[in-house]
Amino acid sequence: MEGPGPVNTQPDLLYSEEEEALRAAVRDLLADHCDAPGVIARTESGAPHDLSAWKALADGMGLAGLLVPEAQGGQGATHREAAVVLEELGRAVAPVPYLTSAVVATEALLACGDDELLGRLASGRTIGALAVGLHLAPGAAHQVARVDNGVLSGELTGVADAAVADVLLVPGDDGALYAVQAQDATVTPQTSFDLTRPLATLTLTDAPGRRLGDAGPAVRRALRAGAGLLASEQLGLADWALTETVRYLKERKQFNRPVGGFQALKHRLAQLWLEVVSLRAAARGAADALAAGEPSDEASVAVAVAQAYAAPVAVRAAEEALQLHAGIGMTWEHPVHLYLKRAKADSIAYGTAGAHRAALAELVDLQAP
């Protein structure tokens, strides 16, 4: 009697029919809510977050709970589906707290096992923010608040999307993670390069907190998922930059012929296409590893590979888009500056490419460059 066939251990990088249907639905919704002129106008208003788009995504489509099991009030999906959503959010540079609330804060709560707060975040009616600097890589040391008899004090900087958060997940100096109501903290906006994902400083003064669990594993899990799925946002951004640049160069004429017909530009776009395709493989690999619940080191390798590659590709794609759009690309009215700023900010979010290369070298027992 023949034994079972060989087990396929290769990651599945292709999109399923359900994932493509999800992509189409999210793209249609964002076309209605996050058009470029609207996003630019929001960045000038002092209130950049589009809470109507967030409500449509989270409450209308149930996407805030993709990573939360059904028994805890979520959709019971995986990181693969969340990655598809983030690709589309990256394509639109959507000013919504999806990555920070539906991924990072949610992953921290999954590590702690707090069903009540998880259900609230999964519904989308409550927005959460992990009170850790956006620039920190998984495993990096982070700021903590002083804890004294259940109340927290201190200052935490570089917290993304804190301005719209309802609850803050704050690491304490006793090694625990606490839930603090945003109304009990002073949120001071910081100057942010990416106006669609603003940063803030949190000041806590004897703020009451509810203990959720151990901060160490919760923060590491949250930042690893954030870094891994950030690559999908960077993929969506890079793909938009490439697609829009190709479209523009087909329409823009010089010397009575389309600019895109010049061989030098064809070579630049072909090279960029190869890099975007490679980024797609890396981002999908990270999402698949997180979804499959790979052993810690294996998932960490996939995340480090994705982030080591994603940042320079996304930045180069946005830079090429700006340059090849020529004069119109330099204007405030054209949205390409939003993509370049997001790409540059993403390049240091959840760790720089250099930090991830160093982490990768350690994970595979090689000398770091």
Side-chain angles (χ1 to χ4, degrees), residues 10 14 18 26 38 119 139 147 168 197 296 328 343 359:
Q10 298 300 313
L14 300 178
E18 292 79 9
V26 174
V147 181
L168 305 167
R197 181 175 285 149
S296 178
I328 192 174

Side-chain angles (χ1 to χ4, degrees), residues 99-100 104 130-145 155-160 169-171 177 190 197 199-200 215-216 218-230 303-304 307 344-356 359:
L99 182 64
T100 48
V104 175
L130 180 65
V132 170
L134 181 65
H135 63 287
L136 292 176
H142 54 80
Q143 294 175 308
V144 296
E155 185 175 272
L156 307 165
T157 60
V159 180
L169 309 183
V170 182
L177 189 68
Q190 294 180 232
R197 181 175 285 149
L199 306 179
V219 171
R220 282 194 299 273
R221 174 173 174 170
L223 295 185
R224 186 179 68 169
L229 294 187
L230 177 66
V303 169
Q307 270 307 307
K344 293 292 284 186
D346 281 357
S347 71
I348 60 172
Y350 303 118
T352 62
H356 286 284

Side-chain angles (χ1 to χ4, degrees), residues 98-115:
Y98 189 86
L99 182 64
T100 48
S101 182
V103 175
V104 175
T106 294
E107 286 279 354
L109 290 174
L110 285 168
C112 294
D114 190 287
D115 290 358

